[in-house]
C-alpha cells in the first residue's frame, strides 16, 4: 500500500474518515471497521493496532459513560438512581448504552484510520504533494520538521552539560525539578534563534524565492492509483447516497429501530465493503502475483 | 435520527480557517530569514511538549506561541502555533485532534499578536499576558473537546458539553496554571530576547539619492 501515490492514499483515507463522521448505522460502521482492520493487516500494522487498543478502549469507555449519563431520551430504563442536585433523576437506559457503544465504535474507526495514515503515508511524498498547493507553507513545514530532531539533540546536550555542573533534574520536589529545567528553554531559544539566521542565509544562498520551485520527485500515476481513486470515489458516492436517504443512520431513540431498513441498504453496504477492500486486494496481488504487479 | 452534520460542518470550518491563514501566508512575501525564524520558533514550541510530557497537561507550547504572537504579530503567531501542532504530531502521532490543535494553538498565537498590537511593545504588561496565558489553557481544552462533543455525544446540550469538559478539567487546570507560571517566570526575558531578534530581522531600504539627506537628518537628531 505504501507504493501508492499520496493523492490515491489520501482519497482512500479521507473516505474512511468521512464514513466514520457521516454514518452512525452499526452495520455500516462494522463494514468500515472490518475494511480498516484488513488494510491495517496488509500494512503490517495489526500488532501495533492491537497494542494501542487498550488506550482506545479507555477512550471508548469514556464516550460510553458520558453518553449514558447525559442522555435521557431512551425508553427502556435499566437502572433508576436517586434525584441528584442540578442533575435531576439519574437513569441508565438501554438505548443510551447502545448509542454510547456505537459512538465508541466510530471513535475506534477514526483512531484506526489515522493509525493507517501514519503507517502508509510517506511524510516526504506527502510534503511534496503539499508543495504543489502551498509551496511556501510546505517549505516552512519541511524546515520545522527538520529542526525538531536537531533541537532535541541540542537540548539533550545542554541538559547533560548542566548535569555535569551539578544540576539535578530527577531529584527534589516537583517544583524544584521544573525550575531546574527552565534555564534549558532559555539556552535553547538563544542558540536556536542564532542558528535560524544561518539557516535563512543558507536557503537564500540556495536561491529560495528566486523563481518557481524545482522538484525532487517525479510523480507518475500507475493503474493501481487510478483504481484506488475510482474505488474511493465509488465508496464516497455510496456513503452520500446512504446519508441522503437516511439509511446511513440508525434510530436509537426513544426505542431502537430495525437494523436493516431496506434491501438497497444491504446491497450498498456490501458494495461499499468491496470498494473499500480494493486497495487491500491490489496490495495483496502486488505482493503475491508478479504478472499482476507488472500490469498495475 | 442522530444528526452528524454538525461534526462535519465544524471540521470543514476549522480546515477552511486554517487553510485561509496558510493561503494568506502564501501571498504574503517573507524573507528567507523570516521563514527560518518562524520555522525555528515553531520547532521550539513543538519540541517543548516533550520535556514536561511526564505531567499530563503541563506543556509550555501555549505560552511560547502566545509570546511569539506578542512579539512578531498575529499572523506569524498563528503560523508558529499551527505549525508547532502539525510538526510535533509528525513525531507524536497524527490524529483527529491535529486540526483542532492547529486552530487552538494558532489562535493563541493570533491572540498574542492582538495583545501586542493593543498594548504596544513598550508598555509590557506582565499581568495581562499571565492572565491571557492562564485563560488559554482552558480555551485550548474547550476547543479540543468541542469536536469530540459534536461527534460522539448526543444530545448536543450545554449539560452534555459540560460533562464532556469535566472529563478533562484536571488536565486543563494543570495546563492553565503551567502557562501562567511559565509566563511569570520566563515571559519578560523571552520577550526581550525575541524583540532583539525581531529588530535584527527588520530591514528598511532607502533609495540612494535619499541616503545622503536621511543620514544628515539622523546625525542631526543624534546631536
Amino acid at each position: 500500500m505504501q507504493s501508492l501515490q499520496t493523492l490515491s492514499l489520501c482519497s482512500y483515507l479521507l473516505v474512511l474518515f468521512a464514513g466514520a463522521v457521516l454514518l452512525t448505522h452499526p452495520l455500516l460502521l462494522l463494514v468500515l471497521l472490518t475494511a480498516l482492520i484488513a488494510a491495517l493487516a496488509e500494512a503490517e500494522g495489526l500488532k501495533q493496532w492491537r497494542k494501542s487498543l487498550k488506550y482506545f478502549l479507555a477512550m471508548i469507555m469514556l464516550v460510553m459513560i458520558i453518553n449514558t449519563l447525559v442522555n435521557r431520551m431512551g425508553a427502556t430504563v435499566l437502572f433508576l438512581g436517586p434525584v441528584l442536585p442540578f442533575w435531576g433523576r439519574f437513569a441508565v437506559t438501554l438505548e443510551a448504552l447502545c448509542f454510547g457503544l456505537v459512538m465508541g465504535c466510530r471513535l475506534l474507526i477514526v483512531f484506526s484510520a489515522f493509525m493507517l495514515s501514519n503507517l502508509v503515508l510517506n511524510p516526504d511524498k506527502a510534503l511534496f504533494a503539499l508543495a504543489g498547493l502551498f509551496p511556501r507553507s510546505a517549505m516552512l513545514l519541511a524546515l520545522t520538521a527538520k529542526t525538531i530532531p536537531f533541537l532535541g539533540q541540542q537540548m539533550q546536550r545542554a541538559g547533560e552539560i548542566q548535569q555535569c555542573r551539578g544540576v539535578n533534574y530527577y531529584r527534589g520536589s516537583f517544583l524544584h525539578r521544573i525550575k531546574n529545567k527552565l534555564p534549558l528553554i532559555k539556552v535553547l531559544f538563544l542558540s536556536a534563534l542564532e542558528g535560524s539566521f544561518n539557516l535563512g542565509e543558507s536557503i537564500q544562498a540556495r536561491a529560495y524565492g528566486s523563481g518557481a520551485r524545482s522538484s525532487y520527485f517525479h510523480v507518475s500515476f500507475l493503474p493501481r492509483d487510478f483504481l484506488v481513486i475510482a474505488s474511493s470515489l465509488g465508496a464516497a458516492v455510496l456513503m452520500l447516497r446512504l446519508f441522503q436517504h437516511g439509511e446511513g443512520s440508525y434510530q436509537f431513540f426513544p426505542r431502537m429501530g430495525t437494523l436493516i431498513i431496506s434491501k438497497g441498504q444491504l446491497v450498498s453496504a456490501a458494495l461499499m465493503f468491496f470498494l473499500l477492500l480494493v486497495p487491500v486486494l491490489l496490495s495483496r496481488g502486488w505482493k503475491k502475483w508478479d504478472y499482476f504487479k507488472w500490469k498495475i | 435520527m442522530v444528526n452528524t452534520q454538525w461534526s462535519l460542518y465544524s471540521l470543514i470550518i476549522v480546515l477552511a480557517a486554517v487553510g485561509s491563514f496558510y493561503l494568506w501566508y502564501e501571498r504574503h512575501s517573507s524573507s528567507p530569514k523570516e521563514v527560518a525564524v518562524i520555522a525555528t520558533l515553531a520547532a521550539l514550541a513543538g519540541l517543548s511538549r516533550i520535556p514536561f510530557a511526564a505531567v499530563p497537561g503541563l506543556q509550555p507550547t501555549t505560552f511560547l506561541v502566545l509570546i511569539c504572537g506578542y512579539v512578531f504579530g498575529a499572523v506569524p503567531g498563528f503560523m508558529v502555533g499551527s505549525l508547532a501542532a502539525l510538526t510535533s504530531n509528525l513525531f507524536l502521532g497524527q490524529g483527529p485532534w491535529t486540526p483542532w490543535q492547529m486552530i487552538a494553538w494558532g489562535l493563541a498565537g493570533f491572540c498574542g499578536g492582538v495583545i501586542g498590537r493593543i498594548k504596544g511593545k513598550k508598555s509590557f504588561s506582565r499581568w495581562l499576558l499571565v492572565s491571557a496565558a492562564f485563560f488559554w489553557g482552558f480555551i485550548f481544552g474547550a476547543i479540543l473537546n468541542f469536536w469530540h462533543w459534536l461527534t460522539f455525544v448526543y444530545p448536543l446540550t450545554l449539560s452534555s458539553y459540560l460533562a464532556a469538559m469535566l472529563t478533562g478539567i484536571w488536565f486543563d487546570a494543570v495546563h492553565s496554571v503551567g502557562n501562567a507560571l511559565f509566563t511569570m517566570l520566563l515571559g519578560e526575558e523571552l520577550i526581550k530576547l525575541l524583540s532583539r531578534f525581531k529588530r535584527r530581522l527588520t530591514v528598511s531600504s532607502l533609495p540612494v539619492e535619499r541616503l545622503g539627506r536621511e543620514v544628515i537628518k539622523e546625525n542631526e537628531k543624534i546631536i
Side-chain angles (χ1 to χ4, degrees):
Chain A
M1 282 177 88
Q2 285 89 339
S3 65
L4 289 165
Q5 289 299 339
T6 310
L7 183 69
S8 21
L9 277 173
C10 280
S11 60
Y12 178 60
L13 292 165
L14 204 68
V15 167
L16 285 170
F17 179 72
V21 172
L22 277 177
L23 309 172
T24 54
H25 197 288
L27 181 76
L28 300 173
L29 290 175
L30 201 68
V31 162
L32 283 179
L33 190 63
T34 317
L36 246 170
I37 291 171
L40 278 163
E42 194 51 39
E44 289 166 12
L46 209 54
K47 207 175 164 188
Q48 195 187 337
W49 183 76
R50 258 193 250 123
K51 265 187 192 172
S52 315
L53 212 56
K54 56 182 173 189
Y55 302 109
F56 294 162
L57 285 177
M59 293 199 77
I60 291 165
M61 284 297 286
L62 205 67
V63 167
M64 276 182 73
I65 291 167
I66 294 173
N67 276 299
T68 312
L69 290 180
V70 299
N71 197 308
R72 291 160 196 198
M73 295 163 81
T76 319
V77 179
L78 294 177
F79 172 75
L80 206 60
V83 179
L84 300 171
F86 308 110
W87 195 263
R89 173 144 335 249
F90 177 72
V92 176
T93 63
L94 176 71
E95 289 79 10
L97 209 62
C98 290
F99 178 76
L101 192 70
V102 172
M103 291 304 109
C105 180
R106 281 173 85 198
L107 190 63
L108 182 63
I109 294 170
V110 170
F111 282 149
S112 308
F114 273 96
M115 186 175 258
L116 182 68
S117 79
N118 289 333
L119 282 167
V120 295
L121 266 179
N122 180 336
D124 277 345
K125 280 188 181 176
L127 206 60
F128 177 74
L130 185 73
L133 288 171
F134 300 104
R136 281 169 192 270
S137 308
M139 172 74 180
L140 204 55
L141 189 64
L143 277 179
T144 313
K146 164 221 159 280
T147 313
I148 287 182
F150 171 68
L151 289 181
Q153 282 173 349
Q154 273 202 324
M155 188 159 74
Q156 198 184 353
R157 216 174 297 154
E160 282 167 4
I161 292 169
Q162 291 289 85
Q163 277 176 312
C164 287
R165 286 174 175 165
V167 180
N168 200 327
Y169 298 122
Y170 307 104
R171 281 190 188 166
S173 67
F174 173 67
L175 268 177
H176 185 74
R177 276 180 283 161
I178 296 279
K179 216 174 170 184
N180 276 346
K181 280 188 179 176
L182 289 181
L184 275 183
I185 295 180
K186 269 192 281 182
V187 171
L188 201 67
F189 249 80
L190 202 63
S191 67
L193 284 169
E194 283 292 347
S196 76
F197 277 72
N198 295 336
L199 188 68
E201 280 162 14
S202 166
I203 57 175
Q204 193 167 23
R206 285 170 172 81
Y208 169 76
S210 62
R213 273 175 71 99
S214 55
S215 58
Y216 186 74
F217 291 108
H218 174 68
V219 179
S220 54
F221 278 85
L222 296 169
R224 60 177 179 271
D225 290 299
F226 292 112
L227 280 171
V228 170
I229 292 172
S231 65
S232 305
L233 272 174
V237 169
L238 277 174
M239 273 175 202
L240 283 174
R241 193 197 152 274
L242 285 165
F243 181 71
Q244 267 194 331
H245 288 80
E247 291 175 350
S249 49
Y250 176 70
Q251 190 196 322
F252 287 95
F253 307 108
R255 280 185 197 283
M256 285 192 282
T258 45
L259 197 64
I260 296 156
I261 302 167
S262 66
K263 205 176 162 186
Q265 188 191 31
L266 211 59
V267 173
S268 299
L271 203 58
M272 198 170 82
F273 183 59
F274 171 72
L275 288 171
L276 290 174
L277 275 185
V278 166
V280 182
L281 297 172
L282 286 178
S283 172
R284 191 121 283 248
W286 166 273
K287 280 180 193 165
K288 300 271 175 193
W289 191 12
D290 283 343
Y291 177 74
F292 189 65
K293 184 179 175 180
W294 173 68
K295 271 295 194 193
I296 61 164
Chain B
M1 296 285 173
V2 180
N3 268 340
T4 52
Q5 290 98 315
W6 291 113
S7 161
L8 196 68
Y9 293 157
S10 66
L11 208 60
I12 291 170
I13 290 169
V14 164
L15 289 174
V18 173
S20 50
F21 268 103
Y22 277 79
L23 214 62
W24 188 93
Y25 178 78
E26 286 291 321
R27 289 176 183 186
H28 172 79
S29 64
S30 46
S31 70
K33 277 187 183 171
E34 277 174 328
V35 172
V37 167
I38 290 179
T40 307
L41 288 171
L44 279 165
L47 185 74
S48 66
R49 292 175 76 182
I50 298 161
F52 302 97
V55 189
L58 186 71
Q59 45 188 350
T61 312
T62 316
F63 136 77
L64 290 176
V65 167
L66 198 75
I67 298 282
C68 290
Y70 183 83
V71 176
F72 287 97
V75 176
F78 184 91
M79 292 304 290
V80 168
S82 63
L83 272 174
L86 186 62
T87 45
S88 58
N89 283 345
L90 283 177
F91 302 94
L92 299 170
Q94 304 285 0
W97 49 82
T98 305
W100 297 89
Q101 281 180 341
M102 282 174 79
I103 196 89
W105 272 324
L107 286 176
F110 192 85
C111 174
V114 172
I115 294 173
R117 175 67 74 89
I118 294 168
K119 286 300 291 178
K121 299 292 179 289
K122 280 178 184 167
S123 56
F124 166 70
S125 165
R126 175 189 288 228
W127 292 108
L128 183 69
L129 269 181
V130 169
S131 38
F134 178 80
F135 284 116
W136 262 100
F138 285 107
I139 299 169
F140 183 85
I143 293 174
L144 282 202
N145 281 327
F146 193 66
W147 187 71
H148 184 261
W149 170 68
L150 277 181
T151 315
F152 303 111
V153 180
Y154 191 75
L156 300 176
T157 56
L158 185 66
S159 62
S160 67
Y161 180 67
L162 289 177
M165 271 292 285
L166 275 174
T167 56
I169 197 80
W170 164 248
F171 304 115
D172 295 338
V174 173
H175 189 187
S176 288
V177 173
N179 283 347
L181 278 174
F182 284 128
T183 315
M184 266 200 295
L185 295 170
L186 284 173
E188 199 167 354
E189 270 183 82
L190 280 187
I191 286 172
K192 275 184 195 161
L193 181 78
L194 289 179
S195 303
R196 186 156 65 82
F197 277 96
K198 196 196 171 187
R199 280 198 298 278
R200 281 173 68 182
L201 272 177
T202 314
V203 178
S204 50
S205 56
L206 277 175
V208 180
E209 58 272 16
R210 277 178 61 198
L211 195 64
R213 274 179 281 153
E214 293 288 332
V215 171
I216 293 163
K217 271 185 197 171
E218 282 294 317
N219 284 343
E220 279 171 357
K221 269 187 207 170
I222 293 164
I223 294 160

